[in-house]
Each structure stands twice: as C-alpha cells, then as structure tokens.
C-alpha cells in the first residue's frame, strides 16, 4: 500500500514537471537527457518567437501612430520621424539584448548539460506579488514557480507537502528537470 501511494505521487510529479523515468535516470547521473535538452531548446525558441511577435506588434502600432501624425500635420516632420525611429530602435535593442541573454543561458545549459540534486522536504506555498498570486514548490531553501493552477492543486491534493524528495535542477538555467521521492 505504501509503495502504491509512493508510485502515485511520483506519477503526479512526472505529470507536473514533465519528465519520464529515463529523464530521471539521466538526472541521477548528473546529466540532462536528450529529451530534456530538446525541451529546453524548444522552450527557448518559443519564447524568442513570442518576443519577436511582440516587437512586430509594437513596431506596427508605432508605425500607425507615425502615419497618423503625418496625416494630422500634413507633413513629414523630422521630429516625429526621429521619435519613431529612436523608439523602435531602442525597443528593438532591448529586446535583442534579452533574447541574446536567454540564448546564452540556454546554450550553456545544453553545452554543459549538468544537473545538481537538491534534497529536502517538499513545501507548497503561494506568495502575492503586486496583486498576482504565484504558486511555488520549495525544497531546502530553493523555490520553483508552478505556472499552472491545476498543477498546483494536483500537487496539494496528492499529499506531497512534507514528503522527502530529491529535486534535480539544471544549471545555469535553474529549472526543475525531475523529482525523485524518497520512501
């Protein structure tokens, strides 16, 4: 009966943190599995795509504002043109800096492919940050945000709080790769 409960809780962790037993075996040896490396790269490229779509939307809105200003004044003003170009270039450079920073961390994570174990008791808690409630899994002073509320509820309902576990965390990205429950 105890082993069955442990297996059910382990299955909940596999669902929430999206790992398999082969991923866990690779993490126990201190490495990322091939599937985990692919997930890290896919996540990075999805975030980059979102950033460039956001830039395109802002660029388009700024261009519409520039065109509206031209129509309103009836002339192509150097002031409005320089404001448009300056704001677009500034936003583009800031975005490019974030993308390059995240790409560097992703490439280091993939190149090094290392994970380190964090041992302790699982804690589930919520913190309010500027009117938003964030949910976390904590273990031995480390905390990892749970993005989806249904995943947080699943962790709570499965009785994982207080359970001894080893969380395998990737470096330098500092994200949960797998979790191993201790009996």
């Amino acid at each position: 009966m105890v082993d069955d409960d442990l297996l059910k809780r382990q299955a909940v962790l596999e669902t929430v943190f999206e790992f398999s037993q082969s991923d866990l075996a690779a993490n126990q040896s201190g490495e990322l599995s091939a599937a985990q490396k692919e997930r890290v790269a896919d996540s990075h490229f999805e975030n980059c795509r979102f950033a460039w779509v956001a830039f395109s939307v802002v660029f388009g809105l700024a261009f519409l504002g520039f065109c509206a200003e031209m129509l309103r004044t009836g002339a192509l003003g150097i002031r409005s043109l320089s404001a448009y170009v300056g704001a677009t270039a500034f936003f583009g450079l800031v975005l490019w800096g974030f993308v390059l920073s995240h790409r560097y961390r992703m490439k280091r994570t993939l190149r090094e492919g290392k994970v380190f174990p964090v041992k302790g008791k699982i804690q589930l808690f919520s913190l309010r940050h500027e009117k938003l409630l964030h949910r976390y899994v904590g273990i031995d002073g480390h905390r990892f945000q749970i993005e989806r509320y249904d995943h947080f509820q699943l962790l709570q309902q499965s009785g994982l709080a207080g359970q001894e576990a080893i969380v395998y965390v990737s470096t330098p990205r500092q994200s949960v790769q797998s979790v191993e429950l201790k009996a």
Side-chain angles (χ1 to χ4, degrees), residues 14-159:
E14 289 175 17
T15 300
V16 170
F17 293 107
E18 299 175 350
F19 68 94
S20 67
Q21 285 298 312
S22 61
D23 294 334
L24 178 59
N27 296 160
Q28 288 169 334
S29 65
E31 302 292 325
L32 286 172
S33 70
Q36 288 172 323
K37 287 180 179 180
E38 187 175 318
R39 282 193 294 272
V40 167
D42 288 346
S43 171
H44 168 73
F45 291 121
E46 284 176 24
N47 291 340
C48 286
R49 256 190 308 272
F50 175 76
W52 288 114
V53 166
F55 175 74
S56 298
V57 167
V58 170
F59 177 79
L61 290 174
F63 183 71
L64 288 175
F66 173 70
C67 290
E69 177 67 17
M70 258 183 28
L71 290 173
R72 188 180 67 79
T73 60
L76 176 63
I78 193 72
R79 260 184 134 166
S80 55
L81 179 62
S82 62
Y84 169 71
V85 170
T88 303
F90 176 75
F91 186 68
L93 288 173
V94 168
L95 178 68
W96 189 251
F98 281 120
V99 167
L100 288 178
S101 169
H102 286 282
R103 179 162 293 177
Y104 175 72
R105 284 193 322 177
M106 184 251 332
K107 286 189 182 264
R108 271 190 58 204
T109 299
L110 294 178
R111 182 178 56 246
E112 295 169 9
K114 301 291 181 199
V115 296
F116 67 93
V118 177
K119 299 175 186 178
K121 291 187 183 216
I122 295 175
Q123 304 160 348
L124 301 171
F125 56 95
S126 300
L127 295 174
R128 186 167 300 282
H129 296 287
E130 296 186 22
K131 298 183 183 180
L132 296 175
L133 191 62
H134 297 276
R135 292 160 188 85
Y136 297 94
V137 169
I139 190 161
D140 190 40
H142 297 276
R143 67 180 185 193
F144 307 98
Q145 187 172 353
I146 304 296
E147 297 292 330
R148 293 179 45 183
Y149 178 68
D150 60 329
H151 281 171
F152 187 75
Q153 279 187 315
L154 186 60
L155 291 170
Q156 285 180 319
Q157 293 167 356
S158 64

